Amino acid sequence: MQPNHCANCDEPIAATPRFCPACGQKTNLHRLTLKDVLHDGFHYFTHADKGIVQLVKALATKPGVVAREYIAGKRKKYFPPLNFFLLVAALFLFAATVTHRDRQMIETRDSVTAGVTGNMTLSEKKLQAQQIVRQRSNEAYRYLARYTNYVAMLAVPYISLIVWVMYRRSGYNYTEHLTANLYLVGFTNLVHCLVVTPLMYFTRPYVNMMIFTVLFALFEIFYRTVFYYRFINDPIKQGLTKTIVKSAIAVLAWFALIFVFMAVFIAMGFIKQQ
């Protein structure tokens, strides 16, 4: 027998509908089974209309189009941008926690402590300074890895503001650029988690980590260029060269912020040694 009210939103319903006209939940419910839970989870990620798998595929094959269509009104077609970004941020945090190594930081700290003496030669002071830089750099990386979710949450509004200023004549407001960058940064962070982080982990210390940083920065510039060229979708006003330059500025602005943070963190280490 059909209920008189929806079990989810308590909306009065007739006996004939299969779904509640207010919230869309099924009217004919039964007790939960393990099959129901697994089906809902699988459906959440792979639904043909707006599953996360379909979203990742769309972001890889047609960058910029997803954000443009979502902002234009196709909200049911795609996985929500904030949900996608938060899921990737959680994966990013997990990857950073699993792959981070504390051994190098501990060894560097011990070497710095051992090298501090009252009277040091110029070469000894130079060596100590190098040790402090390595120590503070490792500690800064550890801090960023521990709070990567907060860093990511700050990164998107910061980059979106810069992009909004550069594309202020595009017709999109700040919130719409923020939405686009939730998709964009979420996808590039996903690539970092699934490709770059494992490569960095398994090739250390044989490959300089700076190589991966530069390669990933180039990938970000390339992807952001394609993404925004298709997102703006106006080749007359927005040439490809201009898009490349603006994409490079956006990526370098983020690296500049990280550099400033690292520089301040290292400087504080020198102050503590005084």
Side-chain angles (χ1 to χ4, degrees):
M1 181 177 180
Q2 296 288 350
N4 295 323
H5 293 80
C6 173
N8 180 59
C9 66
D10 205 35
E11 178 77 11
I13 54 177
T16 53
R18 293 182 55 194
F19 301 94
C20 172
C23 68
Q25 178 171 282
K26 288 183 178 181
T27 57
N28 186 19
L29 299 177
H30 57 268
R31 295 190 66 177
L32 282 175
T33 64
L34 180 60
K35 180 181 178 182
D36 295 327
V37 175
L38 293 176
H39 175 268
D40 288 344
F42 184 77
H43 185 272
Y44 183 73
F45 284 96
T46 61
H47 193 279
D49 290 336
K50 56 174 184 177
I52 192 171
V53 175
Q54 283 70 28
L55 173 63
V56 172
K57 180 181 178 181
L59 288 172
T61 57
K62 49 181 182 179
V65 177
V66 173
R68 176 157 48 84
E69 291 185 344
Y70 185 87
I71 291 171
K74 295 184 178 181
R75 310 291 164 80
K76 290 292 184 179
K77 182 178 180 180
Y78 297 111
F79 196 83
L82 183 58
N83 294 20
F84 172 64
F85 178 80
L86 293 177
L87 281 173
V88 174
L91 178 62
F92 201 96
L93 175 61
F94 174 77
T97 303
V98 170
T99 59
H100 180 65
R101 298 179 178 182
D102 295 333
R103 180 169 53 85
Q104 183 180 1
M105 186 194 70
I106 295 173
E107 292 175 352
T108 306
R109 181 187 299 140
D110 292 341
S111 63
V112 171
T113 304
V116 176
T117 59
N119 298 314
M120 293 186 297
T121 64
L122 182 61
S123 59
E124 289 173 336
K125 289 182 179 180
K126 182 178 180 181
L127 177 61
Q128 183 191 16
Q130 293 174 346
Q131 291 172 338
I132 292 174
V133 170
R134 287 196 298 268
Q135 173 199 354
R136 297 296 290 179
S137 296
N138 286 326
E139 289 179 348
Y141 174 79
R142 186 184 185 187
Y143 183 88
L144 289 172
R146 182 185 302 172
Y147 299 103
T148 185
N149 277 353
Y150 300 104
V151 174
M153 291 300 292
L154 290 173
V156 175
Y158 166 70
I159 294 175
S160 299
L161 178 61
I162 294 173
V163 172
W164 172 61
V165 172
M166 292 191 294
Y167 290 95
R168 59 188 178 277
R169 297 180 181 178
S170 65
Y172 291 110
N173 60 31
Y174 173 76
T175 302
E176 290 166 337
H177 279 288
L178 179 64
T179 300
N181 279 277
L182 285 171
Y183 277 133
L184 192 159
V185 177
F187 180 79
T188 55
N189 282 351
L190 182 63
V191 171
H192 195 286
C193 289
L194 300 181
V195 179
V196 179
T197 299
L199 286 175
M200 293 176 67
Y201 180 77
F202 289 111
T203 58
R204 183 190 295 267
Y206 307 106
V207 180
N208 191 324
M209 296 300 102
M210 185 58 65
I211 295 176
F212 289 109
T213 302
V214 173
L215 290 177
F216 184 70
L218 293 175
F219 164 74
E220 281 192 293
I221 294 173
F222 169 78
Y223 185 78
R224 179 171 285 277
T225 298
V226 178
F227 186 101
Y228 257 85
Y229 190 76
R230 295 184 178 181
F231 175 62
I232 301 301
N233 197 32
D234 192 346
I236 298 177
K237 293 182 179 179
Q238 186 59 42
L240 182 59
T241 302
K242 289 183 179 179
T243 309
I244 294 174
V245 172
K246 291 177 180 179
S247 298
I249 291 174
V251 173
L252 291 175
W254 170 239
F255 277 97
L257 185 64
I258 295 295
F259 176 80
V260 170
F261 170 80
M262 297 284 285
V264 171
F265 206 90
I266 292 171
M268 291 174 62
F270 281 103
I271 294 174
K272 289 180 181 180
Q273 293 296 324
Q274 299 300 322

